[in-house]
């Protein structure tokens, strides 16, 4: 059940940074503020320039504050799947109270007992998700508080990531003047938000087609099975158009959104558009079909790479099929091309929140939903992990004179090979391309107007 209150999310993408403010009341999420600004200091979803990224984040936060009519002092940040590792863990403690009734402190202690494995200096625990508690041998308990018992056990999953990425992420957000409340694993929040209960149980894959990269996450039996990122996205389509047609990136971007079609079968061979080219005062004329050939080549190249990994992980036959999100998934024909390549059901996920009915906002919506719907046990778990981190995490920043204090929820503990089909290797954040320029033509796709309320 959702918690009541205000929650914020920060999605740091390669091409854009998004901030969302939502209020949870009576189990419902109501968006009250959202911003979307161009990203700087970020490459392939990873922060490479702390100062530049901090300025972009500060701008996005200020815009969200203005729209929401409130001050944001803490925020939940999405973490890409770069080198993410997942491993099972368990802990066990005797129930110490005289009444043998299990309390909040006991739950926190048993979770801490599961965080006793050594972790390599370059890694840090991000989160621990309890799967079940066992009281005196009775399994399958979701919340043991209030029960009586002598022995309390916990089985769950520990998520760890590179300390460098986590440290830079926290430092950048704090440099923007905001405290990090929780670091949320983007593939986890994305799948839980986008997929329905049946898809999460029986299995489905979410593909986030961002501007600078494409992220993939598969879930089955309510657990992440695979996650990876590919350093190609919508910006690469724009660059291909620019290079082939010898035109500017701005014109290439407008061509992509106003006339772009990924499915060759739907592209017209007679409809034409004039394009200004570099080195000539006379524009050239191209057909919609020719433009579609350029776009389709890159889209198929990206999706073929994803297909190879899903086949190796034996996840291509999941009953839930493929769900597409991200700004790159808006282009007409993407769903049909994906169906052809994957040979399974494919659908486009469009958020239903008023004002942001666009697939490019799916990731930041997922971050806020994940935090807003955390159970009391989840909150205790994050508190336990944060407490252990404060005691044991060693910042790897070379500037030891001013180490960054971790925010409310940043862990640090075990890390080993994952039971995922493949280790995660890249960030998972959606990015959105620039808006189309209407001066290119009056034929701007009607879909974009309907998706933005």
């Amino acid at each position: 059940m959702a918690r009541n209150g205000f929650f914020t999310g920060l999605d740091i993408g390669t091409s854009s940074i998004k901030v969302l403010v939502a209020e949870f009341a009576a189990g419902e999420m109501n968006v009250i503020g959202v911003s979307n600004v161009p990203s700087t200091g970020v490459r392939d979803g990873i922060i490479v320039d702390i100062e530049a990224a901090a300025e972009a984040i500060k701008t996005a936060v200020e815009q969200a504050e203005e729209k929401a009519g409130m001050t944001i002092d803490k925020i939940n940040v999405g973490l890409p799947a770069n080198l993410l590792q997942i491993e099972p863990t368990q802990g066990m403690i005797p129930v110490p109270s005289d009444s043998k009734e299990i309390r909040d402190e006991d739950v926190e202690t048993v979770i801490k007992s599961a965080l006793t494995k050594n972790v390599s200096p370059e890694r840090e625990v991000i989160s621990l998700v309890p799967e079940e508690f066992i009281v005196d041998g009775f399994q399958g308990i979701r919340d043991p508080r209030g029960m009586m018992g002598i022995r309390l056990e916990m089985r769950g999953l520990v998520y760890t990531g590179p300390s460098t990425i986590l440290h830079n992420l926290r430092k950048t957000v704090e440099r923007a003047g905001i405290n990090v409340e929780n670091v949320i694993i983007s593939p986890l929040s994305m799948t839980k938000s986008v997929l329905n209960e049946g898809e999460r149980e029986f299995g489905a894959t979410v593909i986030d087609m961002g501007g600078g990269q494409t992220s993939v996450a598969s879930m089955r039996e309510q657990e992440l099975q695979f996650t990876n990122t590919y350093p190609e996205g919508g910006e690469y389509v724009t660059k291909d158009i620019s290079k082939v047609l010898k035109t500017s990136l701005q014109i290439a971007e407008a061509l992509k959104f106003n006339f772009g079609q990924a499915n060759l079968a739907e592209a017209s061979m007679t409809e034409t558009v004039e394009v200004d080219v570099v080195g000539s005062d006379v524009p050239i004329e191209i057909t919609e079909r020719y433009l579609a050939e350029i776009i389709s080549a890159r889209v198929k190249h990206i999706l073929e790479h994803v297909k190879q990994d899903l086949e190796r992980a034996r996840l291509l036959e999941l009953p839930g099929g493929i769900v597409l999100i991200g700004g790159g998934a808006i282009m007409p024909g993407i769903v049909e091309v994906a169906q052809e390549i994957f040979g399974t059901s494919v659908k486009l996920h469009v958020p239903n929140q008023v004002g942001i009915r666009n697939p490019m906002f799916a990731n930041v919506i997922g971050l806020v939903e994940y935090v807003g719907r955390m159970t009391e046990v989840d909150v205790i778990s994050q508190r336990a992990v944060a407490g252990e981190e404060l005691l044991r995490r060693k910042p790897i920043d070379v500037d030891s004179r001013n180490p960054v204090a971790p925010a409310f929820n940043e862990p640090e503990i075990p890390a080993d090979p994952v039971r995922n089909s493949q280790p995660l290797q890249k960030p998972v954040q959606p990015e959105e391309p620039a808006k189309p320029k209407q001066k290119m033509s009056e034929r701007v796709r009607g879909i974009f107007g309907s998706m933005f309320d």
Side-chain angles (χ1 to χ4, degrees):
M1 183 177 178
R3 299 182 287 164
N4 291 332
F6 296 91
F7 301 93
T8 58
L10 169 62
D11 174 20
I12 304 174
T14 302
S15 63
S16 67
I17 292 176
K18 305 174 186 67
V19 173
L20 185 142
V21 184
E23 180 184 13
F24 281 81
E28 296 295 328
M29 171 180 167
N30 301 304
V31 176
I32 61 174
V34 65
S35 65
N36 180 28
V37 304
S39 182
T40 57
V42 183
R43 181 182 303 159
D44 295 335
I46 298 299
I47 294 171
V48 295
D49 186 329
I50 289 178
E51 291 299 332
E55 282 300 314
I57 291 171
K58 185 177 180 180
T59 301
V61 169
E62 289 174 349
Q63 291 185 9
E65 287 178 331
E66 182 178 354
K67 293 179 180 179
M70 60 181 291
T71 300
I72 299 173
D73 55 7
K74 58 184 178 180
I75 204 163
N76 299 281
V77 188
L79 178 75
N82 288 56
L83 303 176
L84 178 67
Q85 291 183 349
I86 312 170
E87 63 174 321
T89 188
Q90 60 184 26
M92 189 274 290
I93 62 165
V95 179
S97 64
D98 293 337
S99 66
K100 298 304 177 185
E101 182 174 310
I102 299 171
R103 303 169 298 180
D104 286 7
E105 308 88 85
D106 303 320
V107 173
E108 185 170 349
T109 301
V110 75
I111 290 172
K112 286 182 177 180
S113 73
L115 298 174
T116 56
K117 296 180 181 179
N118 292 326
V119 60
S120 56
E122 70 276 7
R123 298 195 68 81
E124 180 180 329
V125 169
I126 306 164
S127 180
L128 187 153
V129 179
E131 291 187 306
E132 69 167 345
F133 292 89
I134 304 170
V135 178
D136 293 346
F138 292 96
Q139 302 180 352
I141 299 171
R142 305 297 298 177
D143 185 351
R145 295 173 303 162
M147 296 182 179
M148 294 186 64
I150 298 174
R151 185 179 72 243
L152 175 64
E153 301 175 65
M154 187 279 305
R155 293 176 183 169
L157 297 175
V158 167
Y159 296 80
T160 67
S163 297
T164 304
I165 294 176
L166 285 160
H167 172 78
N168 292 342
L169 182 67
R170 295 190 190 97
K171 187 169 185 176
T172 302
V173 176
E174 290 168 357
R175 187 69 60 88
I178 310 296
N179 293 320
V180 178
E181 182 177 14
N182 292 287
V183 172
I184 306 299
I185 300 167
S186 290
L188 191 60
S189 62
M190 180 173 67
T191 49
K192 290 202 170 186
S193 173
V194 171
L195 303 179
N196 60 41
E197 183 68 22
E199 290 167 339
R200 292 194 297 268
E201 183 63 34
F202 292 99
T205 297
V206 179
I207 300 178
D208 177 12
M209 305 184 72
Q213 64 185 20
T214 298
S215 305
V216 180
S218 297
M219 176 170 277
R220 180 172 54 194
E221 296 178 353
Q222 305 291 338
E223 296 177 9
L224 278 178
Q225 302 293 317
F226 169 85
T227 176
N228 200 5
T229 57
Y230 306 83
E232 296 176 83
E235 291 180 355
Y236 286 73
V237 175
T238 302
K239 291 176 182 177
D240 288 348
I241 296 172
S242 175
K243 290 179 180 178
V244 173
L245 300 182
K246 296 181 176 60
T247 190
S248 68
L249 288 173
Q250 291 76 15
I251 292 178
E253 185 82 347
L255 285 171
K256 181 178 70 174
F257 279 99
N258 293 344
F259 303 96
Q261 168 66 251
N263 185 13
L264 293 179
E266 296 295 326
S268 171
M269 299 184 69
T270 58
E271 294 286 339
T272 61
V273 59
E274 290 186 347
V275 180
D276 293 330
V277 297
V278 176
S280 175
D281 294 331
V282 180
I284 63 172
E285 193 173 80
I286 63 168
T287 64
E288 188 178 275
R289 170 69 180 232
Y290 184 56
L291 179 62
E293 289 175 355
I294 302 171
I295 295 172
S296 179
R298 176 62 69 173
V299 171
K300 288 182 177 179
H301 178 73
I302 296 172
L303 297 182
E304 287 287 356
H305 282 182
V306 175
K307 178 184 178 181
Q308 291 174 8
D309 288 340
L310 292 178
E311 284 182 330
R312 279 195 292 265
R314 298 181 179 180
L315 295 169
L316 200 54
E317 303 302 323
L318 293 177
I322 307 290
V323 181
L324 301 179
I325 63 171
I330 300 172
M331 184 182 299
I334 289 285
V335 172
E336 290 77 11
V337 172
Q339 286 175 335
E340 176 186 342
I341 290 175
F342 294 114
T344 186
S345 62
V346 179
K347 65 180 178 180
L348 177 66
H349 172 77
V350 179
N352 59 8
Q353 280 78 10
V354 175
I356 49 174
R357 293 190 177 119
N358 191 307
M360 70 177 64
F361 290 103
N363 206 320
V364 71
I365 291 171
L367 294 175
V368 177
E369 281 188 344
Y370 186 88
V371 176
R373 301 188 187 283
M374 287 173 61
T375 66
E376 292 183 4
V377 170
D378 292 331
V379 174
I380 293 173
S381 176
Q382 287 297 89
R383 185 171 66 227
V385 171
E388 291 295 290
E389 175 207 357
L390 290 171
L391 291 174
R392 296 204 293 265
R393 184 169 71 85
K394 297 179 180 179
I396 62 171
D397 183 18
V398 292
D399 184 9
S400 58
R401 296 168 300 172
N402 186 27
V404 178
F408 173 64
N409 270 350
E410 275 49 66
E412 80 95 26
I413 310 191
D416 289 346
V418 198
R419 54 189 198 175
N420 293 6
S421 310
Q422 280 185 287
L424 297 91
Q425 296 183 336
K426 291 211 170 183
V428 171
Q429 264 127 352
E431 297 82 38
E432 91 176 317
K435 295 181 179 179
K437 301 182 184 297
Q438 293 186 354
K439 68 175 184 178
M440 284 298 304
S441 172
E442 298 177 355
R443 298 175 50 216
V444 179
R445 304 281 182 187
I447 183 174
F448 299 101
S450 63
M451 282 185 169
F452 289 90
D453 288 45

